PDB file of all heavy atoms in Angstrom:
ATOM      1  N   LYS A   7      32.269  -7.627  -3.630  1.00  0.00           N
ATOM      2  CA  LYS A   7      32.003  -6.334  -2.992  1.00  0.00           C
ATOM      3  C   LYS A   7      30.505  -6.084  -2.849  1.00  0.00           C
ATOM      4  O   LYS A   7      30.056  -5.481  -1.881  1.00  0.00           O
ATOM      5  CB  LYS A   7      32.650  -5.212  -3.807  1.00  0.00           C
ATOM      6  CG  LYS A   7      34.171  -5.240  -3.814  1.00  0.00           C
ATOM      7  CD  LYS A   7      34.735  -4.125  -4.683  1.00  0.00           C
ATOM      8  CE  LYS A   7      36.265  -4.173  -4.685  1.00  0.00           C
ATOM      9  NZ  LYS A   7      36.851  -3.123  -5.574  1.00  0.00           N
ATOM     10  N   MET A   8      29.743  -6.553  -3.823  1.00  0.00           N
ATOM     11  CA  MET A   8      28.295  -6.341  -3.795  1.00  0.00           C
ATOM     12  C   MET A   8      27.638  -7.095  -2.636  1.00  0.00           C
ATOM     13  O   MET A   8      26.600  -6.686  -2.109  1.00  0.00           O
ATOM     14  CB  MET A   8      27.693  -6.788  -5.137  1.00  0.00           C
ATOM     15  CG  MET A   8      26.329  -6.202  -5.447  1.00  0.00           C
ATOM     16  SD  MET A   8      25.702  -6.758  -7.051  1.00  0.00           S
ATOM     17  CE  MET A   8      26.849  -5.933  -8.156  1.00  0.00           C
ATOM     18  N   GLN A   9      28.241  -8.220  -2.222  1.00  0.00           N
ATOM     19  CA  GLN A   9      27.676  -9.027  -1.137  1.00  0.00           C
ATOM     20  C   GLN A   9      28.288  -8.712   0.229  1.00  0.00           C
ATOM     21  O   GLN A   9      27.890  -9.313   1.231  1.00  0.00           O
ATOM     22  CB  GLN A   9      27.887 -10.517  -1.437  1.00  0.00           C
ATOM     23  CG  GLN A   9      27.191 -10.999  -2.691  1.00  0.00           C
ATOM     24  CD  GLN A   9      27.443 -12.476  -2.949  1.00  0.00           C
ATOM     25  OE1 GLN A   9      26.798 -13.350  -2.372  1.00  0.00           O
ATOM     26  NE2 GLN A   9      28.381 -12.761  -3.838  1.00  0.00           N
ATOM     27  N   ASP A  10      29.246  -7.785   0.257  1.00  0.00           N
ATOM     28  CA  ASP A  10      29.927  -7.446   1.510  1.00  0.00           C
ATOM     29  C   ASP A  10      29.123  -6.397   2.269  1.00  0.00           C
ATOM     30  O   ASP A  10      29.041  -5.229   1.849  1.00  0.00           O
ATOM     31  CB  ASP A  10      31.338  -6.932   1.205  1.00  0.00           C
ATOM     32  CG  ASP A  10      32.190  -6.816   2.464  1.00  0.00           C
ATOM     33  OD1 ASP A  10      31.646  -7.037   3.574  1.00  0.00           O
ATOM     34  OD2 ASP A  10      33.387  -6.520   2.338  1.00  0.00           O
ATOM     35  N   ASP A  11      28.524  -6.780   3.393  1.00  0.00           N
ATOM     36  CA  ASP A  11      27.714  -5.858   4.188  1.00  0.00           C
ATOM     37  C   ASP A  11      28.564  -4.778   4.852  1.00  0.00           C
ATOM     38  O   ASP A  11      28.103  -3.655   5.086  1.00  0.00           O
ATOM     39  CB  ASP A  11      26.938  -6.630   5.260  1.00  0.00           C
ATOM     40  CG  ASP A  11      25.925  -7.593   4.643  1.00  0.00           C
ATOM     41  OD1 ASP A  11      25.478  -7.313   3.517  1.00  0.00           O
ATOM     42  OD2 ASP A  11      25.597  -8.618   5.288  1.00  0.00           O
ATOM     43  N   LYS A  12      29.817  -5.084   5.168  1.00  0.00           N
ATOM     44  CA  LYS A  12      30.666  -4.147   5.894  1.00  0.00           C
ATOM     45  C   LYS A  12      31.054  -2.942   5.042  1.00  0.00           C
ATOM     46  O   LYS A  12      31.299  -1.857   5.567  1.00  0.00           O
ATOM     47  CB  LYS A  12      31.935  -4.854   6.380  1.00  0.00           C
ATOM     48  CG  LYS A  12      31.653  -5.984   7.374  1.00  0.00           C
ATOM     49  CD  LYS A  12      32.949  -6.660   7.802  1.00  0.00           C
ATOM     50  CE  LYS A  12      32.668  -7.791   8.783  1.00  0.00           C
ATOM     51  NZ  LYS A  12      33.916  -8.486   9.203  1.00  0.00           N
ATOM     52  N   THR A  13      31.135  -3.139   3.725  1.00  0.00           N
ATOM     53  CA  THR A  13      31.535  -2.043   2.837  1.00  0.00           C
ATOM     54  C   THR A  13      30.354  -1.478   2.048  1.00  0.00           C
ATOM     55  O   THR A  13      30.537  -0.891   0.981  1.00  0.00           O
ATOM     56  CB  THR A  13      32.619  -2.536   1.862  1.00  0.00           C
ATOM     57  OG1 THR A  13      32.103  -3.645   1.101  1.00  0.00           O
ATOM     58  CG2 THR A  13      33.863  -2.961   2.613  1.00  0.00           C
ATOM     59  N   GLY A  14      29.152  -1.669   2.562  1.00  0.00           N
ATOM     60  CA  GLY A  14      27.977  -1.103   1.892  1.00  0.00           C
ATOM     61  C   GLY A  14      27.531  -1.881   0.679  1.00  0.00           C
ATOM     62  O   GLY A  14      27.336  -1.306  -0.402  1.00  0.00           O
ATOM     63  N   GLY A  15      27.378  -3.198   0.833  1.00  0.00           N
ATOM     64  CA  GLY A  15      26.919  -4.027  -0.276  1.00  0.00           C
ATOM     65  C   GLY A  15      25.424  -3.888  -0.507  1.00  0.00           C
ATOM     66  O   GLY A  15      24.720  -3.108   0.150  1.00  0.00           O
ATOM     67  N   VAL A  16      24.917  -4.657  -1.437  1.00  0.00           N
ATOM     68  CA  VAL A  16      23.483  -4.651  -1.740  1.00  0.00           C
ATOM     69  C   VAL A  16      22.735  -5.351  -0.605  1.00  0.00           C
ATOM     70  O   VAL A  16      23.139  -6.445  -0.180  1.00  0.00           O
ATOM     71  CB  VAL A  16      23.216  -5.361  -3.082  1.00  0.00           C
ATOM     72  CG1 VAL A  16      21.721  -5.364  -3.399  1.00  0.00           C
ATOM     73  CG2 VAL A  16      23.983  -4.688  -4.200  1.00  0.00           C
ATOM     74  N   PRO A  17      21.662  -4.754  -0.088  1.00  0.00           N
ATOM     75  CA  PRO A  17      20.915  -5.391   1.009  1.00  0.00           C
ATOM     76  C   PRO A  17      20.226  -6.687   0.562  1.00  0.00           C
ATOM     77  O   PRO A  17      19.405  -6.679  -0.350  1.00  0.00           O
ATOM     78  CB  PRO A  17      19.886  -4.324   1.400  1.00  0.00           C
ATOM     79  CG  PRO A  17      19.760  -3.440   0.201  1.00  0.00           C
ATOM     80  CD  PRO A  17      21.093  -3.444  -0.463  1.00  0.00           C
ATOM     81  N   ILE A  18      20.617  -7.786   1.203  1.00  0.00           N
ATOM     82  CA  ILE A  18      20.022  -9.095   0.914  1.00  0.00           C
ATOM     83  C   ILE A  18      18.983  -9.380   1.994  1.00  0.00           C
ATOM     84  O   ILE A  18      19.288  -9.334   3.184  1.00  0.00           O
ATOM     85  CB  ILE A  18      21.088 -10.198   0.883  1.00  0.00           C
ATOM     86  CG1 ILE A  18      22.144  -9.877  -0.176  1.00  0.00           C
ATOM     87  CG2 ILE A  18      20.462 -11.563   0.602  1.00  0.00           C
ATOM     88  CD1 ILE A  18      23.341 -10.809  -0.158  1.00  0.00           C
ATOM     89  N   ARG A  19      17.764  -9.687   1.587  1.00  0.00           N
ATOM     90  CA  ARG A  19      16.700  -9.824   2.570  1.00  0.00           C
ATOM     91  C   ARG A  19      15.746 -10.945   2.184  1.00  0.00           C
ATOM     92  O   ARG A  19      15.771 -11.458   1.059  1.00  0.00           O
ATOM     93  CB  ARG A  19      15.934  -8.511   2.704  1.00  0.00           C
ATOM     94  CG  ARG A  19      15.386  -7.972   1.386  1.00  0.00           C
ATOM     95  CD  ARG A  19      14.774  -6.597   1.578  1.00  0.00           C
ATOM     96  NE  ARG A  19      14.205  -6.070   0.345  1.00  0.00           N
ATOM     97  CZ  ARG A  19      14.878  -5.364  -0.549  1.00  0.00           C
ATOM     98  NH1 ARG A  19      16.158  -5.122  -0.347  1.00  0.00           N
ATOM     99  NH2 ARG A  19      14.297  -4.904  -1.641  1.00  0.00           N
ATOM    100  N   THR A  20      14.890 -11.298   3.135  1.00  0.00           N
ATOM    101  CA  THR A  20      13.818 -12.270   2.912  1.00  0.00           C
ATOM    102  C   THR A  20      12.513 -11.513   2.753  1.00  0.00           C
ATOM    103  O   THR A  20      12.165 -10.663   3.576  1.00  0.00           O
ATOM    104  CB  THR A  20      13.716 -13.249   4.094  1.00  0.00           C
ATOM    105  OG1 THR A  20      14.945 -13.972   4.198  1.00  0.00           O
ATOM    106  CG2 THR A  20      12.575 -14.232   3.878  1.00  0.00           C
ATOM    107  N   VAL A  21      11.799 -11.815   1.687  1.00  0.00           N
ATOM    108  CA  VAL A  21      10.584 -11.074   1.338  1.00  0.00           C
ATOM    109  C   VAL A  21       9.382 -11.982   1.510  1.00  0.00           C
ATOM    110  O   VAL A  21       9.414 -13.166   1.147  1.00  0.00           O
ATOM    111  CB  VAL A  21      10.664 -10.560  -0.121  1.00  0.00           C
ATOM    112  CG1 VAL A  21       9.415  -9.775  -0.479  1.00  0.00           C
ATOM    113  CG2 VAL A  21      11.899  -9.688  -0.309  1.00  0.00           C
ATOM    114  N   LYS A  22       8.318 -11.435   2.068  1.00  0.00           N
ATOM    115  CA  LYS A  22       7.062 -12.174   2.202  1.00  0.00           C
ATOM    116  C   LYS A  22       6.237 -12.016   0.937  1.00  0.00           C
ATOM    117  O   LYS A  22       6.057 -10.914   0.429  1.00  0.00           O
ATOM    118  CB  LYS A  22       6.271 -11.668   3.409  1.00  0.00           C
ATOM    119  CG  LYS A  22       6.930 -11.967   4.754  1.00  0.00           C
ATOM    120  CD  LYS A  22       6.048 -11.505   5.902  1.00  0.00           C
ATOM    121  CE  LYS A  22       6.699 -11.834   7.248  1.00  0.00           C
ATOM    122  NZ  LYS A  22       5.857 -11.373   8.390  1.00  0.00           N
ATOM    123  N   SER A  23       5.735 -13.124   0.433  1.00  0.00           N
ATOM    124  CA  SER A  23       4.916 -13.119  -0.769  1.00  0.00           C
ATOM    125  C   SER A  23       3.713 -14.024  -0.553  1.00  0.00           C
ATOM    126  O   SER A  23       3.848 -15.255  -0.493  1.00  0.00           O
ATOM    127  CB  SER A  23       5.738 -13.597  -1.978  1.00  0.00           C
ATOM    128  OG  SER A  23       4.934 -13.691  -3.131  1.00  0.00           O
ATOM    129  N   PHE A  24       2.539 -13.423  -0.406  1.00  0.00           N
ATOM    130  CA  PHE A  24       1.300 -14.146  -0.168  1.00  0.00           C
ATOM    131  C   PHE A  24       1.445 -15.009   1.088  1.00  0.00           C
ATOM    132  O   PHE A  24       1.584 -14.492   2.177  1.00  0.00           O
ATOM    133  CB  PHE A  24       0.928 -14.979  -1.402  1.00  0.00           C
ATOM    134  CG  PHE A  24      -0.492 -15.487  -1.377  1.00  0.00           C
ATOM    135  CD1 PHE A  24      -1.545 -14.638  -1.048  1.00  0.00           C
ATOM    136  CD2 PHE A  24      -0.774 -16.810  -1.651  1.00  0.00           C
ATOM    137  CE1 PHE A  24      -2.845 -15.104  -1.009  1.00  0.00           C
ATOM    138  CE2 PHE A  24      -2.077 -17.277  -1.610  1.00  0.00           C
ATOM    139  CZ  PHE A  24      -3.110 -16.420  -1.301  1.00  0.00           C
ATOM    140  N   LEU A  25       1.437 -16.331   0.967  1.00  0.00           N
ATOM    141  CA  LEU A  25       1.527 -17.205   2.137  1.00  0.00           C
ATOM    142  C   LEU A  25       2.920 -17.801   2.327  1.00  0.00           C
ATOM    143  O   LEU A  25       3.112 -18.665   3.187  1.00  0.00           O
ATOM    144  CB  LEU A  25       0.499 -18.337   2.020  1.00  0.00           C
ATOM    145  CG  LEU A  25      -0.973 -17.904   1.979  1.00  0.00           C
ATOM    146  CD1 LEU A  25      -1.862 -19.118   1.790  1.00  0.00           C
ATOM    147  CD2 LEU A  25      -1.364 -17.135   3.239  1.00  0.00           C
ATOM    148  N   SER A  26       3.887 -17.383   1.520  1.00  0.00           N
ATOM    149  CA  SER A  26       5.228 -17.956   1.595  1.00  0.00           C
ATOM    150  C   SER A  26       6.272 -16.858   1.748  1.00  0.00           C
ATOM    151  O   SER A  26       5.967 -15.664   1.631  1.00  0.00           O
ATOM    152  CB  SER A  26       5.525 -18.789   0.343  1.00  0.00           C
ATOM    153  OG  SER A  26       5.479 -17.963  -0.813  1.00  0.00           O
ATOM    154  N   LYS A  27       7.501 -17.267   2.011  1.00  0.00           N
ATOM    155  CA  LYS A  27       8.621 -16.353   2.137  1.00  0.00           C
ATOM    156  C   LYS A  27       9.652 -16.647   1.055  1.00  0.00           C
ATOM    157  O   LYS A  27       9.901 -17.808   0.726  1.00  0.00           O
ATOM    158  CB  LYS A  27       9.274 -16.493   3.511  1.00  0.00           C
ATOM    159  CG  LYS A  27       8.391 -16.042   4.663  1.00  0.00           C
ATOM    160  CD  LYS A  27       9.138 -16.157   5.981  1.00  0.00           C
ATOM    161  CE  LYS A  27       8.276 -15.684   7.144  1.00  0.00           C
ATOM    162  NZ  LYS A  27       9.006 -15.794   8.447  1.00  0.00           N
ATOM    163  N   ILE A  28      10.235 -15.585   0.507  1.00  0.00           N
ATOM    164  CA  ILE A  28      11.268 -15.718  -0.521  1.00  0.00           C
ATOM    165  C   ILE A  28      12.588 -15.300   0.118  1.00  0.00           C
ATOM    166  O   ILE A  28      12.820 -14.111   0.361  1.00  0.00           O
ATOM    167  CB  ILE A  28      10.964 -14.836  -1.741  1.00  0.00           C
ATOM    168  CG1 ILE A  28       9.564 -15.127  -2.278  1.00  0.00           C
ATOM    169  CG2 ILE A  28      12.005 -15.056  -2.836  1.00  0.00           C
ATOM    170  CD1 ILE A  28       9.140 -14.221  -3.408  1.00  0.00           C
ATOM    171  N   PRO A  29      13.484 -16.251   0.397  1.00  0.00           N
ATOM    172  CA  PRO A  29      14.718 -15.929   1.130  1.00  0.00           C
ATOM    173  C   PRO A  29      15.845 -15.443   0.232  1.00  0.00           C
ATOM    174  O   PRO A  29      15.925 -15.798  -0.945  1.00  0.00           O
ATOM    175  CB  PRO A  29      15.078 -17.273   1.779  1.00  0.00           C
ATOM    176  CG  PRO A  29      14.558 -18.296   0.820  1.00  0.00           C
ATOM    177  CD  PRO A  29      13.323 -17.695   0.188  1.00  0.00           C
ATOM    178  N   SER A  30      16.730 -14.642   0.812  1.00  0.00           N
ATOM    179  CA  SER A  30      18.014 -14.244   0.203  1.00  0.00           C
ATOM    180  C   SER A  30      17.860 -13.678  -1.196  1.00  0.00           C
ATOM    181  O   SER A  30      18.404 -14.204  -2.169  1.00  0.00           O
ATOM    182  CB  SER A  30      18.974 -15.438   0.173  1.00  0.00           C
ATOM    183  OG  SER A  30      19.198 -15.918   1.468  1.00  0.00           O
ATOM    184  N   VAL A  31      17.121 -12.575  -1.319  1.00  0.00           N
ATOM    185  CA  VAL A  31      16.910 -11.959  -2.632  1.00  0.00           C
ATOM    186  C   VAL A  31      17.267 -10.478  -2.569  1.00  0.00           C
ATOM    187  O   VAL A  31      17.300  -9.862  -1.502  1.00  0.00           O
ATOM    188  CB  VAL A  31      15.450 -12.119  -3.106  1.00  0.00           C
ATOM    189  CG1 VAL A  31      15.113 -13.567  -3.374  1.00  0.00           C
ATOM    190  CG2 VAL A  31      14.474 -11.511  -2.104  1.00  0.00           C
ATOM    191  N   VAL A  32      17.555  -9.936  -3.742  1.00  0.00           N
ATOM    192  CA  VAL A  32      17.757  -8.495  -3.929  1.00  0.00           C
ATOM    193  C   VAL A  32      16.919  -8.083  -5.136  1.00  0.00           C
ATOM    194  O   VAL A  32      16.540  -8.928  -5.951  1.00  0.00           O
ATOM    195  CB  VAL A  32      19.244  -8.151  -4.161  1.00  0.00           C
ATOM    196  CG1 VAL A  32      20.077  -8.511  -2.955  1.00  0.00           C
ATOM    197  CG2 VAL A  32      19.774  -8.863  -5.399  1.00  0.00           C
ATOM    198  N   THR A  33      16.649  -6.809  -5.268  1.00  0.00           N
ATOM    199  CA  THR A  33      15.878  -6.340  -6.415  1.00  0.00           C
ATOM    200  C   THR A  33      16.803  -5.836  -7.505  1.00  0.00           C
ATOM    201  O   THR A  33      17.962  -5.462  -7.250  1.00  0.00           O
ATOM    202  CB  THR A  33      14.915  -5.219  -6.000  1.00  0.00           C
ATOM    203  OG1 THR A  33      15.685  -4.084  -5.539  1.00  0.00           O
ATOM    204  CG2 THR A  33      13.975  -5.682  -4.896  1.00  0.00           C
ATOM    205  N   GLY A  34      16.266  -5.813  -8.725  1.00  0.00           N
ATOM    206  CA  GLY A  34      17.056  -5.295  -9.836  1.00  0.00           C
ATOM    207  C   GLY A  34      17.420  -3.836  -9.647  1.00  0.00           C
ATOM    208  O   GLY A  34      18.511  -3.393 -10.028  1.00  0.00           O
ATOM    209  N   THR A  35      16.523  -3.062  -9.048  1.00  0.00           N
ATOM    210  CA  THR A  35      16.798  -1.641  -8.786  1.00  0.00           C
ATOM    211  C   THR A  35      17.976  -1.477  -7.837  1.00  0.00           C
ATOM    212  O   THR A  35      18.847  -0.607  -8.040  1.00  0.00           O
ATOM    213  CB  THR A  35      15.550  -0.966  -8.195  1.00  0.00           C
ATOM    214  OG1 THR A  35      14.452  -1.117  -9.101  1.00  0.00           O
ATOM    215  CG2 THR A  35      15.798   0.516  -7.941  1.00  0.00           C
ATOM    216  N   ASP A  36      18.032  -2.327  -6.791  1.00  0.00           N
ATOM    217  CA  ASP A  36      19.152  -2.255  -5.838  1.00  0.00           C
ATOM    218  C   ASP A  36      20.483  -2.515  -6.530  1.00  0.00           C
ATOM    219  O   ASP A  36      21.482  -1.825  -6.270  1.00  0.00           O
ATOM    220  CB  ASP A  36      18.948  -3.268  -4.709  1.00  0.00           C
ATOM    221  CG  ASP A  36      17.775  -2.904  -3.805  1.00  0.00           C
ATOM    222  OD1 ASP A  36      17.414  -1.708  -3.781  1.00  0.00           O
ATOM    223  OD2 ASP A  36      17.224  -3.807  -3.152  1.00  0.00           O
ATOM    224  N   ILE A  37      20.520  -3.493  -7.403  1.00  0.00           N
ATOM    225  CA  ILE A  37      21.771  -3.832  -8.106  1.00  0.00           C
ATOM    226  C   ILE A  37      22.201  -2.701  -9.024  1.00  0.00           C
ATOM    227  O   ILE A  37      23.373  -2.306  -9.058  1.00  0.00           O
ATOM    228  CB  ILE A  37      21.609  -5.146  -8.894  1.00  0.00           C
ATOM    229  CG1 ILE A  37      21.366  -6.320  -7.932  1.00  0.00           C
ATOM    230  CG2 ILE A  37      22.828  -5.415  -9.764  1.00  0.00           C
ATOM    231  CD1 ILE A  37      21.079  -7.635  -8.618  1.00  0.00           C
TER     232      ILE A  37
END
């Protein structure tokens, strides 16, 4: 359920960090 976007799951996103990208992450606050 947490990964289901249709039912309001946790937003999974790619984050930019310095010169690289961190894919498919969520924050502890979101969880």
Side-chain angles (χ1 to χ4, degrees):
K7 293 178 180 178
M8 200 179 292
Q9 298 179 81
D10 191 354
D11 296 333
K12 297 179 180 179
T13 59
V16 180
I18 301 172
R19 55 186 182 272
T20 298
V21 181
K22 293 183 179 179
S23 176
F24 194 47
L25 298 177
S26 62
K27 293 182 179 180
I28 306 175
S30 301
V31 294
V32 297
T33 64
T35 302
D36 292 338
I37 296 175

